[in-house]
Amino acid sequence: MRRLPAVLAAAALLTFATGCGSLAPPGEQSAAAPRLVDDRPVRDGGTAVVGLKSDPDMLDPSLTGTLVARTVFTSMCEQLYDVDRHNRFVPQLASSMPKITDGGRTFTFDVREDARFSDGAKLDAKAVKTSLDRHLHLKGSGRASEIDSVDKVEAIGPYTVRLTLKHADTPLLGRLANTAGLIMSPKALAKYGKNFATHPSCVGPFKYEKRVIGDRIELKKDPLYYDADRVHLDGVVYKTITDGNIRLANLRSGDVQTGDQMGPVEVRSALGDKDLQVLNTPSLGYMAITVNVGNDNGIDGKPGKVDTPFARDVRVREAFDLSLDRELINKVVFQGMYAPACGPVPPGTPLSTPTTCQKRDVAKAKKLLEEAGVKTPVPLELMINTTPEDARFGQVVQAMAKEAGFDVKLQPTEFATGLQRTYAGDFQARTGGWGGQPDPAGNIDSLVGTKGSNNQGQLSDPEIDRLIAAGRSTSDPAKRKEIYRELTEAINRQHSVIYTYRNINYAVAAQDISGISLSGDGLIRMKEAGYVKGGDK
């Protein structure tokens, strides 16, 4: 039996002491099986509050880089395609699936003829062209590299759009079912330009009303929405509550109706509460430690040289990777309710290949440090979020790495500040995650490709770039599956993005609200939410 280091043992005691509910009480709900929707009948009226784990960054589809912003966008900003509960792509603002011709180099699709933006502007092919051109060409756009295969966007009819590609790009549909497919009002873009985030206008069940940075975003029902008859709430408020225990307390007091990204401790407690319900779905994304190996001048610049032992020598990064016991991390920090991860491709998806994570090997880690000729303990500043869950994760990583010869200094940093520092290259390593997409390209290309707009550590590897290009240009599923197996191995050889675990998307909601749903991407949908008929709110 493995013996826990002192810090790990303390963390384990804290974890299990605070988890007061049973995971599967007899006759009650369990978090073991996916539960994506609550479809009890609801009445019209009322406002629901959603508690978010962190404060969204800019409410600008071109510039945003956070999962919580995407959560807010599900209520106020629809995209060309969406992902359903079975991880299938379905039309949203597009009215049909795209016709792909010319050997995969031309995408043609129609858009809805009955949709209006919240500012009254009409959705048409020209509006779609305006948004996609902005995603492609706006300085600092996080979408630019995601759809950089697009050479030209044309409105070839009032409601028909044609994308001419530089080369075949099989994963493009998946990107149009994500942030790159979000469409903004051309009227608002013309009026506010780079300040669109302070006056966002899209097509959605709710429209933007007000934001208090660091506190809340207020939306109200949009009467212009094409599907307004299925919207029951008068409004939705997204409130930032970083501590999961406080989100849970707000759920119990009735100040919050839905808690997003709830952690295992809170989920266990909620499962034993008759006034709360739990929805969950496996994540398509991952959590990882990203090492800064080349971001010396900001994420928009070219990869440069970072003068740290971790950036200089891959053997140091491999040694750090070998010091981690992913199974023990999942057990100690997350009560075994997540899963160890060692790659970007979510298991169970069509292009995934079963993988076995490497075992912890402290002796090999020490040998690698000796071969690298570095002085031990090797220092590392690890930036983490300020939540209790992130603190526990950081402490366990710190304890494990110490045994192998590392001196990890934890840097708890508020989410938005951490994001700014990451983009600026002001970090050695950071913890963080990616929400995930059904197609593996969505979890890889922009994050580890040399020209990737979300390549935070500025990794640059010709073999990875070659395989990324192969994955995009290949349509045969069997060949793509093999490419992403090779790509996962190539990424792991660099130990620059150290995949650690894959979470379950948990949402906890009050029993008096229904109609909320989770899709395969794990985002909460509030479009059809409402208070249960017969309730008193």
Side-chain angles (χ1 to χ4, degrees):
M1 181 177 178
R2 284 176 294 183
R3 185 166 58 87
L4 293 178
V7 174
L8 273 64
L13 284 173
L14 173 65
T15 299
F16 289 110
T18 52
C20 56
S22 169
L23 183 60
E28 296 185 13
Q29 58 184 316
S30 166
R35 179 172 180 259
L36 286 81
V37 65
D38 175 8
D39 55 4
R40 291 171 294 160
V42 299
R43 60 178 173 79
D44 291 339
T47 296
V49 180
V50 179
L52 299 176
K53 182 180 179 180
S54 54
D55 200 40
D57 60 348
M58 292 174 285
L59 294 180
D60 184 323
S62 297
L63 300 174
T64 185
T66 63
L67 181 63
V68 283
R70 284 195 62 209
T71 298
V72 177
F73 283 140
T74 62
S75 287
M76 57 171 279
C77 203
E78 293 195 339
Q79 52 209 25
L80 291 170
Y81 295 93
D82 199 6
V83 178
D84 71 7
R85 297 169 192 167
H86 307 286
N87 292 330
R88 297 174 302 204
F89 298 122
V90 294
Q92 194 171 59
L93 292 181
S95 60
S96 62
M97 298 303 286
K99 296 176 183 176
I100 303 173
T101 56
D102 191 24
R105 297 179 60 142
T106 302
F107 268 52
T108 305
F109 56 89
D110 296 325
V111 298
R112 302 184 67 98
E113 299 184 19
D114 58 352
R116 287 188 177 277
F117 297 94
S118 61
D119 61 4
K122 190 169 179 57
L123 175 77
D124 57 16
K126 290 182 179 177
V128 173
K129 172 178 167 54
T130 298
S131 279
L132 295 184
D133 281 342
R134 185 175 188 266
H135 287 334
L136 278 167
H137 303 300
L138 180 70
K139 184 178 181 182
S141 170
R143 312 287 78 78
S145 70
E146 296 173 1
I147 56 173
D148 62 1
S149 62
V150 177
D151 184 46
K152 185 166 59 175
V153 183
E154 297 174 281
I156 60 173
Y159 298 98
T160 303
V161 179
R162 181 169 64 202
L163 308 181
T164 303
L165 311 188
K166 301 170 188 172
H167 51 76
D169 187 2
T170 303
L172 180 60
L173 177 59
R175 297 191 179 97
L176 298 178
N178 204 277
T179 316
L182 292 170
I183 303 301
M184 300 160 278
S185 164
K187 180 179 174 182
L189 289 173
K191 185 174 182 179
Y192 300 111
K194 290 184 177 179
N195 295 321
F196 177 86
T198 58
H199 305 82
S201 175
C202 301
V203 177
F206 301 93
K207 63 179 180 179
Y208 176 86
E209 275 292 291
K210 177 182 179 182
R211 178 173 191 178
V212 179
I213 297 293
D215 183 60
R216 66 188 186 279
I217 296 168
E218 299 179 7
L219 310 179
K220 75 174 185 180
K221 182 177 178 178
D222 186 354
L224 297 178
Y225 182 52
Y226 63 85
D227 207 13
D229 289 346
R230 295 172 65 186
V231 181
H232 303 288
L233 291 168
D234 294 329
V236 177
V237 175
Y238 289 92
K239 188 169 180 59
T240 302
I241 307 174
T242 58
D243 190 319
N245 286 316
I246 297 177
R247 285 203 300 283
L248 185 61
N250 275 263
L251 279 159
R252 286 183 164 135
S253 69
D255 293 326
V256 166
Q257 282 68 53
T258 304
D260 186 31
Q261 296 188 64
M262 301 298 285
V265 172
E266 294 80 33
V267 170
R268 280 183 178 272
S269 181
L271 285 170
D273 191 325
K274 64 180 177 55
D275 294 324
L276 301 175
Q277 57 175 318
V278 175
L279 283 81
N280 67 87
T281 181
S283 172
L284 294 172
Y286 60 80
M287 302 299 291
I289 296 173
T290 298
V291 180
N292 186 357
V293 294
N295 187 353
D296 67 339
N297 192 32
I299 198 169
D300 293 332
K302 294 181 178 179
K305 289 186 178 180
V306 175
D307 190 21
T308 67
F310 273 76
R312 287 194 297 265
D313 198 321
V314 68
R315 291 172 294 187
V316 176
R317 302 196 294 271
E318 183 180 359
F320 181 78
D321 197 343
L322 284 167
S323 76
L324 304 181
D325 186 330
R326 290 167 171 78
E327 291 185 3
L328 196 55
I329 288 173
N330 183 42
K331 180 178 179 181
V332 170
V333 182
F334 306 116
Q335 303 190 21
M337 292 174 67
Y338 292 164
C342 46
V345 184
T349 52
L351 300 184
S352 67
T353 299
T355 56
T356 301
C357 295
Q358 66 177 6
K359 298 295 183 182
R360 187 182 193 225
D361 192 336
V362 173
K364 185 177 179 181
K366 289 181 175 179
K367 186 171 185 294
L368 283 168
L369 292 181
E370 184 178 344
E371 291 173 0
V374 293
K375 181 182 178 182
T376 58
V378 182
L380 178 69
E381 295 175 355
L382 178 61
M383 187 161 60
I384 60 173
N385 207 339
T386 54
T387 69
E389 189 173 277
D390 286 279
R392 290 197 299 272
F393 176 74
Q395 290 165 5
V396 171
V397 168
Q398 185 181 50
M400 289 178 170
K402 183 179 180 180
E403 290 188 352
F406 294 93
D407 179 17
V408 178
K409 304 290 188 187
L410 300 180
Q411 293 185 329
T413 307
E414 186 271 328
F415 181 74
T417 302
L419 205 57
Q420 291 175 358
R421 287 184 54 188
T422 300
Y423 289 161
D426 180 22
F427 74 106
Q428 292 186 5
R430 65 160 303 192
T431 61
W434 182 251
Q437 300 178 25
D439 192 294
N443 290 0
I444 294 174
D445 297 10
S446 71
L447 295 124
V448 294
T450 297
K451 295 182 179 179
S453 52
N454 290 303
N455 185 356
Q456 299 175 349
Q458 293 277 273
L459 172 66
S460 180
D461 179 77
E463 177 65 2
I464 291 175
D465 291 341
R466 182 187 71 79
L467 289 165
I468 285 175
R472 295 177 71 168
S473 61
T474 302
S475 58
D476 181 82
K479 292 180 179 177
R480 290 194 78 211
K481 185 174 183 176
E482 176 59 19
I483 288 169
Y484 287 109
R485 187 193 65 76
E486 293 180 27
L487 191 44
T488 296
E489 291 181 355
I491 296 168
N492 284 340
R493 280 196 296 272
Q494 291 296 324
H495 304 279
S496 173
V497 177
I498 300 172
Y499 304 98
T500 51
Y501 64 93
R502 186 161 279 110
N503 63 323
I504 303 291
N505 298 305
Y506 290 113
V508 176
Q511 286 285 7
D512 63 356
I513 196 164
S514 181
I516 55 177
S517 63
L518 291 176
S519 288
D521 54 17
L523 302 179
I524 295 175
R525 264 70 168 177
M526 297 297 290
K527 172 183 172 179
E528 298 181 37
Y531 287 95
V532 175
K533 286 186 175 179
D536 57 2
K537 292 189 176 180

